[in-house]
Amino acid sequence: KKESRNTAEIVCVRSDCKEGPYAPIPQAYIYGDTVQVQLDNLEPCMYVAVIVQAQHVSLPSTVWNHVVKKVTLGVYGPKHIHPSFKTVVAIFGHDCAPKTLLVSEVGKQAQSSPPVALQLWGKHQFVLGRPQDLQIGMYSNMSNYEVKASEQARIVRGFQIKLGKVSRLIYVIASRNAEDISDFTLRVQVKDDQEVILAQFCVQTPQPPPKTGVRTTGQRRFLKKKEVGKIILSPLAITTKYPVFQDRYINSLKYGKLLKTVVRQNKNQYLLEYKKGDVIALLSEEKIKLKGQLWTKEWYIGYYQGKTGLVHAKNVLVVG
């Protein structure tokens, strides 16, 4: 507070360990709500804390009487709502709320499951006069959705707020009718230990996930494998005449020497396996270009050990 500048002062301390010890930072400047410090001996991980220190405080007053302490509440939830989902109310001791919050699942499988990233639905900020127990309540404005009665009002202890720790309160919200899902409004209410309302605000939930394509009951375009042999063609069906394969002699047969041994882990009936130093018959000197994911490869059509298939052009030396 401006009127308390002669009574209280702000001190910045730093440490390389979270547990301390902390040492004062000599150069610290205050600009309104912003504290600027100059850090020397930078480390990969450092901890900086801002402390309000009062020299002379008369009971029952505390150092909080000289501070305008702002508390920020952030409501976090999934990207889309479902028939049953969890929301988190996070209490921060400053005026910022991150856009995402990592929350670990609560339960028997909490150790094995990774933390879940929840998105910020809305936030609210208010001034807290003194550190005290806060009762955070969450309520739905739609009868179809309900917050579990045992979890509607959760308690944040005053010592947690005094230490500046981030508190996370998890609320389970379920729908009475899973077929009727739509976005709705949540009301968050903050009360003190005397049931006096300190803050109250509302947030809008996101939409449910978009519906996937509905399966049509019409005729399928493709047949199952078991149904292929049961097809009975109509006598009026038009049959297409395809050319018949013929045996032909190859006049200009070429040979090549294999420069590499190739054994394929994934067998393919079109790609040959061969041994370095053997001779392969090439049915044509023309190369077939096949485009892969990264580059285009060139292949010969070869005959090797009773099999006809493709051999990579780089692995063959044409000898005539």
Side-chain angles (χ1 to χ4, degrees):
K1 294 181 180 179
K2 292 182 179 179
E3 61 272 16
S4 302
R5 289 181 177 177
N6 297 329
T7 309
E9 63 175 343
I10 292 179
V11 180
C12 293
V13 293
R14 63 156 286 178
S15 174
D16 297 336
C17 300
K18 188 175 181 180
E19 294 76 15
Y22 285 83
I25 301 175
Q27 296 181 355
Y29 308 95
I30 303 172
Y31 304 97
D33 294 340
T34 304
V35 178
Q36 178 182 345
V37 296
Q38 181 176 342
L39 298 175
D40 299 325
N41 301 325
L42 298 180
E43 298 292 340
C45 181
M46 297 181 295
Y47 296 89
V48 178
V50 180
I51 301 172
V52 178
Q53 179 179 336
Q55 299 294 338
H56 304 284
V57 178
S58 301
L59 295 177
S61 299
T62 64
V63 71
W64 280 69
N65 296 99
H66 304 282
V67 179
V68 179
K69 179 64 175 178
K70 294 181 180 179
V71 177
T72 303
L73 271 70
V75 180
Y76 294 84
K79 184 177 181 181
H80 300 287
I81 61 173
H82 301 275
S84 178
F85 59 92
K86 295 180 181 179
T87 59
V88 174
V89 175
I91 298 94
F92 304 96
H94 44 75
D95 57 355
C96 295
K99 293 184 178 181
T100 58
L101 186 70
L102 290 177
V103 179
S104 300
E105 290 289 338
V106 179
K108 297 180 180 179
Q109 300 178 352
Q111 296 180 354
S112 60
S113 59
V116 180
L118 300 180
Q119 299 188 4
L120 179 64
W121 287 358
K123 63 179 180 178
H124 181 76
Q125 186 181 94
F126 66 98
V127 177
L128 187 62
R130 60 183 177 86
Q132 55 185 307
D133 294 349
L134 298 179
Q135 181 176 300
I136 313 295
M138 178 179 286
Y139 311 93
S140 170
N141 74 329
M142 184 179 289
S143 59
N144 186 34
Y145 279 97
E146 64 174 351
V147 183
K148 285 190 176 182
S150 59
E151 299 180 350
Q152 283 185 351
R154 308 293 291 273
I155 302 296
V156 178
R157 297 301 177 185
F159 73 89
Q160 294 177 300
I161 299 175
K162 188 175 182 180
L163 294 175
K165 289 190 175 182
V166 178
S167 300
R168 297 176 174 88
L169 306 179
I170 300 178
Y171 299 84
V172 178
I173 302 176
S175 172
R176 292 188 175 93
N177 183 9
E179 301 296 329
D180 183 17
I181 302 176
S182 61
D183 59 323
F184 59 99
T185 303
L186 287 172
R187 178 168 55 92
V188 180
Q189 195 175 76
V190 183
K191 295 182 180 180
D192 62 6
D193 48 8
Q194 302 296 326
E195 295 292 326
V196 177
I197 298 178
L198 301 179
Q200 188 172 224
F201 65 102
C202 296
V203 294
Q204 186 73 19
T205 68
Q207 296 282 344
K211 295 182 179 181
T212 56
V214 182
R215 292 184 61 182
T216 59
T217 57
Q219 187 176 3
R220 298 193 308 268
R221 293 181 57 193
F222 303 100
L223 296 173
K224 296 180 180 179
K225 189 176 181 179
K226 296 180 180 179
E227 298 175 339
V228 175
K230 300 180 181 180
I231 299 176
I232 301 176
L233 295 178
S234 170
L236 301 178
I238 301 175
T239 57
T240 304
K241 293 183 178 180
Y242 294 99
V244 180
F245 287 101
Q246 300 178 1
D247 294 332
R248 295 182 181 179
Y249 292 101
I250 300 176
N251 298 325
S252 57
L253 187 63
K254 299 291 182 178
Y255 294 93
K257 185 178 180 180
L258 296 170
L259 306 177
K260 181 181 179 182
T261 298
V262 175
V263 178
R264 304 188 186 279
Q265 186 175 2
N266 298 325
K267 306 298 181 181
N268 191 312
Q269 59 178 336
Y270 301 106
L271 302 179
L272 293 176
E273 294 182 332
Y274 39 87
K275 186 178 179 181
K276 179 180 178 181
D278 289 353
V279 177
I280 185 173
L282 303 179
L283 305 186
S284 174
E285 288 188 276
E286 295 183 5
K287 298 178 182 178
I288 300 174
K289 293 185 179 181
L290 297 178
K291 188 176 181 181
Q293 295 181 352
L294 299 178
W295 49 72
T296 301
K297 292 184 177 181
E298 294 183 337
W299 305 78
Y300 287 118
I301 302 176
Y303 181 82
Y304 179 76
Q305 294 184 353
K307 294 182 180 180
T308 303
L310 300 177
V311 57
H312 196 236
K314 289 185 178 181
N315 297 338
V316 179
L317 176 62
V318 181
V319 294

